[in-house]
Amino acid sequence: MGVENLTSVTEFILVGLSSQRKTQLLLFGLILLTYSLTIMGNLAVILLVRFDTRLQTPMYYFLMHLSGLEICYVTSTEPQMLAHLLAGNGVISYVRCALQLFGYLSFGAAECLLLAVMAYDRYLAICQPLLYPVAMDKWRQVHLASSCWAAGFLFGAIYVGCTFRHSYCGPNRVNHFMCEMPLVLKLACDDTHITQTIIFVLAGVGLLIPISVVLTSYGVILFSVLQIRSVTGLSKAFSTCASHLIVVTVFYGIVIVTYVIPRSEASSDRDKNIALFYVVVTPFLNPIIYTLRNKDVHEAVTKALQRWA
């Protein structure tokens, strides 16, 4: 058994987004730009929340962790993408592939859980305002955020352990621009049915629980909001939830399309386009969505600019 499980493949070849050199260089420039803006935008959110006293609330505390996860998530995938586009080939070592897989799955799982925590936070703030300061005190915030990070790393470790316990003896071409778990698993030389079942069950639990929390939280919020007769109260309730609802809809929608809807060989280009959106575009848009119409953030930015000027 130990001899049979020895892995002969030492590297994988990622097909990438395009084989045309001009297109590769164009994509390199665009992805480098969005990666830089993503890092700066999310880092700005973290610094504003960390140093502005008006943003020292549970909602912004979780937003700070979400920005941290976004930075880690894009850094686990995009630098390798940029290196491949610049070099013109997609060779990635066995170990780097495993590390990349662990990184984006861990941070993605943690973000999935954190979005559910943020929905629960909005439920407490709107539906239980008197209990909110006690139910979401500083200790509870730290506990919930750290639990999301820890659970994300646990999920990532299980996924990677299940994927790379198999032997890979060739072929080693992955029709993607990164080490996507289902595509890597297809290259295994031995039977993967048990592994696929474990991964499917874990993914189902890891997705079903957060989505249930989000739907329940916003269902109760909607019911409570409809009881509010004040136009000002309605506007305030919707404004505090709108940005999170947009991010949640985009994130879970992409996850469902990518990992729940059955794949086919003909949909490989579609899968890569969807993956490009959630790897590059979504982390870039999230800080914009959360801050575009947020008065507290606008005031914090103005105050920071005045201080530096």
Side-chain angles (χ1 to χ4, degrees):
M1 186 72 178
V3 176
E4 291 177 356
N5 278 342
L6 288 176
T7 303
S8 57
V9 168
T10 59
E11 62 185 23
F12 294 98
I13 299 174
L14 304 179
V15 174
L17 294 165
S18 174
S19 59
Q20 301 295 321
R21 190 58 185 153
K22 289 184 178 179
T23 304
Q24 289 176 347
L25 293 176
L26 176 62
L27 287 170
F28 173 83
L30 291 174
I31 293 174
L32 178 61
L33 178 62
T34 55
Y35 176 65
S36 302
L37 292 175
T38 299
I39 296 295
M40 289 188 291
N42 284 288
L43 188 59
V45 171
I46 292 173
L47 293 175
L48 284 173
V49 175
R50 182 70 180 83
F51 294 107
D52 194 291
T53 54
R54 287 172 296 184
L55 302 182
Q56 302 294 317
T57 64
M59 181 177 73
Y60 292 111
Y61 177 79
F62 294 129
L63 179 58
M64 180 178 68
H65 277 274
L66 181 65
S67 293
L69 282 170
E70 296 285 25
I71 291 174
C72 295
Y73 183 78
V74 297
T75 303
S76 69
T77 53
E78 292 188 32
Q80 189 70 59
M81 289 172 57
L82 292 170
H84 288 164
L85 288 169
L86 190 61
N89 69 75
V91 177
I92 184 171
S93 69
Y94 182 88
V95 174
R96 280 180 178 270
C97 182
L99 290 174
Q100 185 183 79
L101 199 63
F102 174 74
Y104 84 79
L105 286 175
S106 297
F107 300 126
E111 183 172 343
C112 184
L113 296 170
L114 185 61
L115 288 173
V117 169
M118 294 174 75
Y120 175 66
D121 171 71
R122 292 299 82 209
Y123 153 74
L124 288 176
I126 294 172
C127 302
Q128 305 288 342
L130 298 179
L131 295 176
Y132 184 57
V134 177
M136 197 58 73
D137 59 12
K138 190 63 179 177
W139 182 89
R140 183 63 57 82
Q141 295 170 42
V142 173
H143 176 73
L144 288 172
S146 59
S147 296
C148 291
W149 284 85
F153 286 129
L154 178 61
F155 270 90
I158 294 173
Y159 289 145
V160 171
C162 288
T163 302
F164 288 96
R165 75 183 183 87
H166 295 283
S167 58
Y168 293 87
C169 50
N172 64 343
R173 291 177 64 86
V174 180
N175 188 16
H176 214 283
F177 57 82
M178 65 181 187
C179 287
E180 183 79 312
M181 181 177 60
L183 298 179
V184 172
L185 198 57
K186 281 184 178 181
L187 301 178
C189 297
D190 48 2
D191 184 63
T192 62
H193 284 93
I194 295 177
T195 296
Q196 289 177 349
T197 302
I198 294 172
I199 290 174
F200 179 79
V201 171
L202 283 175
V205 172
L207 191 60
L208 187 61
I209 293 176
I211 288 180
S212 299
V213 172
V214 170
L215 291 177
T216 302
S217 297
Y218 278 109
V220 178
I221 288 172
L222 179 62
F223 178 78
S224 299
V225 164
L226 293 176
Q227 310 302 313
I228 301 176
R229 297 182 180 181
S230 167
V231 176
T232 304
L234 280 170
S235 177
K236 185 176 180 181
F238 279 118
S239 65
T240 58
C241 297
S243 57
H244 184 251
L245 266 175
I246 294 171
V247 172
V248 164
T249 302
V250 172
F251 180 86
Y252 288 122
I254 291 174
V255 169
I256 291 171
V257 169
T258 304
Y259 295 106
V260 177
I261 296 178
R263 294 167 178 251
S264 65
E265 295 297 328
S267 66
S268 58
D269 289 336
R270 184 210 69 173
D271 293 338
K272 283 194 283 187
N273 291 333
I274 293 174
L276 185 66
F277 186 83
Y278 72 73
V279 169
V280 177
V281 180
T282 303
F284 166 70
L285 292 177
N286 281 352
I288 299 175
I289 294 172
Y290 274 111
T291 61
L292 189 62
R293 298 182 61 186
N294 192 307
K295 293 181 180 179
D296 293 334
V297 174
H298 292 174
E299 291 175 1
V301 171
T302 302
K303 181 181 177 181
L305 291 175
Q306 290 175 346
R307 186 187 306 155
W308 292 336

